[in-house]
Amino acid sequence: MKVALVKQARKSVSEDYKLLENMNKLTSLKYLEMKDIAINISRNLKDLNQKYAALQPYLEQINLIEEQVAALEQAAYKLDAYSKKLEAKYKKLEKR
């Protein structure tokens, strides 16, 4: 009876170790997959950073153009207001 219990206990422990071994193998494979994903993400991020760096001069030019357009727009509004005043003065002088 004791021998049967010892054999059963040994078998149970052996099965537990096999289960742990399988779990470790699966975990190891999962970590390898995650490592590959992390490497791909890192590579893609590096590529995106390089592309962004290449675009940076163009983005700066766009910002400069945007500022110049805003300044030009303000000048156009002032010119429009001035021309309306001039037109009003001209019409006033014309009536005399």
Side-chain angles (χ1 to χ4, degrees), residues 10-91:
R10 193 173 66 198
K11 182 179 178 185
S12 177
V13 169
S14 177
E15 289 173 356
D16 286 346
Y17 279 123
K18 284 181 184 178
L19 178 63
L20 282 174
E21 185 179 5
N22 287 336
M23 288 173 60
N24 282 338
K25 285 179 183 177
L26 288 173
T27 303
S28 177
L29 290 174
K30 219 31 159 169
Y31 277 119
L32 286 175
E33 287 176 23
M34 290 170 52
K35 176 186 167 194
D36 290 342
I37 291 170
I39 288 170
N40 286 333
I41 290 172
S42 176
R43 187 179 304 124
N44 290 339
L45 183 61
K46 186 177 178 182
D47 290 345
L48 283 175
N49 283 336
Q50 289 174 346
K51 288 176 184 177
Y52 181 77
L55 286 175
Q56 191 60 35
Y58 300 110
L59 295 173
E60 289 172 5
Q61 287 178 354
I62 289 170
N63 287 338
L64 181 61
I65 291 170
E66 187 177 4
E67 290 170 6
Q68 292 172 344
V69 166
L72 187 60
E73 188 177 22
Q74 288 300 315
Y77 285 134
K78 288 179 183 178
L79 184 59
D80 186 50
Y82 180 72
S83 67
K84 286 180 182 177
K85 284 182 186 178
L86 247 135
E87 184 180 4
K89 280 185 182 180
Y90 177 75
K91 286 184 180 180

